[in-house]
Amino acid sequence: MRALVAEDHRELARTIAKGLRRESIAVEVTGSGAEAKRMCLLTDYDVLVLDRDLPVLTGDDVCRRLTVVTERPRVLMQTAAASTEDMVYGLTELGADDYLAKPFDFAELVARVRTLYRRATGSPDAVLRYGGIRLNRARREVFTQGRPLDLTPKEFAVLDVLLRFRGEAVSHQDLLRTVWDENTDPHSSRVRAVVSRLRRKPPNHSSER
């Protein structure tokens, strides 16, 4: 999954990005509404976490302008304006896909981002199956031949991508672009290391829940 965080409060932006990266979400960050719009037009993000109160070109403006774009990210608008009227306006008039009031619980932010991602990829089903492997996105569980696999968040994210391609070739760049982000050296061996660990993963010997 690839996300853009548009938030002008630098500390909050860093905190959100750091937390999403821990969930193996590829994240880029900007504090500018104009830059957020430009980046969304140039890059295929799955989700845009958008601060409504950005300076100059506001989050409202960004959201409105993206509604006319065919291939646009799902927009999670976040703001301190938390009234029902504000929420309804953001969803119906501005075209946001979801609305989250500040302050928010980070676990809720992650859950909403993942839900929007499933919508963006056209995969409402939280379970992927291929070649004896079953991956449950909602419960963050993986089973192979009926036995659970213990995976790190990054391993889970890579396997999610591989299963969505259902046996088709997935390039190093595809994985780097989808699971990592702009902070990763494109010549890094991280992708190969994670894929190698996945291939060696033995199933847990406890029975499937």
Side-chain angles (χ1 to χ4, degrees):
M1 182 196 317
R2 194 171 187 83
L4 174 63
V5 175
E7 167 63 63
D8 67 318
H9 189 292
R10 292 185 180 181
E11 188 59 37
L12 178 57
R14 281 196 294 267
T15 299
I16 292 173
K18 183 177 180 181
L20 291 178
R21 286 173 182 141
R22 284 176 179 167
E23 297 292 324
S24 295
I25 297 171
V27 182
E28 294 178 19
V29 178
T30 181
S32 161
E35 182 68 6
K37 185 193 74 170
R38 187 189 71 83
M39 293 171 75
C40 286
L41 294 176
L42 292 175
T43 304
D44 293 330
Y45 297 104
D46 298 298
V47 178
L48 167 61
V49 180
L50 178 64
D51 178 20
R52 186 173 178 182
D53 305 312
L54 292 172
V56 189
L57 188 67
T58 68
D60 287 10
D61 293 329
V62 173
C63 200
R64 282 196 196 95
R65 297 183 188 191
L66 289 178
T67 57
V68 301
V69 179
T70 303
E71 298 295 330
R72 71 172 184 88
R74 299 284 179 166
V75 177
L76 172 58
M77 183 169 281
Q78 54 171 351
T79 176
S83 71
T84 300
E85 291 78 6
D86 287 315
M87 181 181 68
V88 170
Y89 181 77
L91 295 172
T92 61
E93 300 297 326
L94 300 178
D97 297 285
D98 200 356
Y99 197 95
L100 185 60
K102 296 178 181 179
F104 51 80
D105 184 86
F106 189 76
E108 182 179 4
L109 172 68
V110 171
R112 288 174 182 256
V113 167
R114 292 198 180 282
T115 298
L116 289 178
Y117 171 64
R118 288 197 293 271
R119 293 184 200 169
T121 56
S123 302
D125 189 353
V127 178
L128 297 176
R129 293 181 175 86
Y130 184 76
I133 299 174
R134 182 170 69 85
L135 181 147
N136 188 312
R137 287 170 168 169
R139 299 180 64 178
R140 309 291 291 169
E141 294 176 339
V142 177
F143 294 91
T144 177
Q145 305 301 334
R147 294 181 174 180
L149 273 182
D150 294 323
L151 302 182
T152 66
K154 194 66 74 177
E155 290 166 352
F156 186 96
V158 169
L159 184 59
D160 185 306
V161 174
L162 295 176
L163 291 183
R164 281 192 279 120
F165 277 81
R166 301 187 62 79
E168 295 181 16
V170 181
S171 73
H172 177 280
Q173 289 302 318
D174 286 334
L175 289 172
L176 196 65
R177 183 174 60 252
T178 307
V179 181
W180 281 265
D181 53 41
E182 84 273 12
N183 292 325
T184 305
D185 181 351
H187 303 293
S188 169
S189 62
R190 293 180 184 179
V191 174
R192 293 184 183 86
V194 172
V195 172
S196 178
R197 289 202 306 269
L198 277 174
R199 287 172 174 163
R200 298 195 305 268
K201 280 281 180 178
N204 187 312
H205 292 295
S206 62
S207 61
E208 181 177 350
R209 292 191 294 274

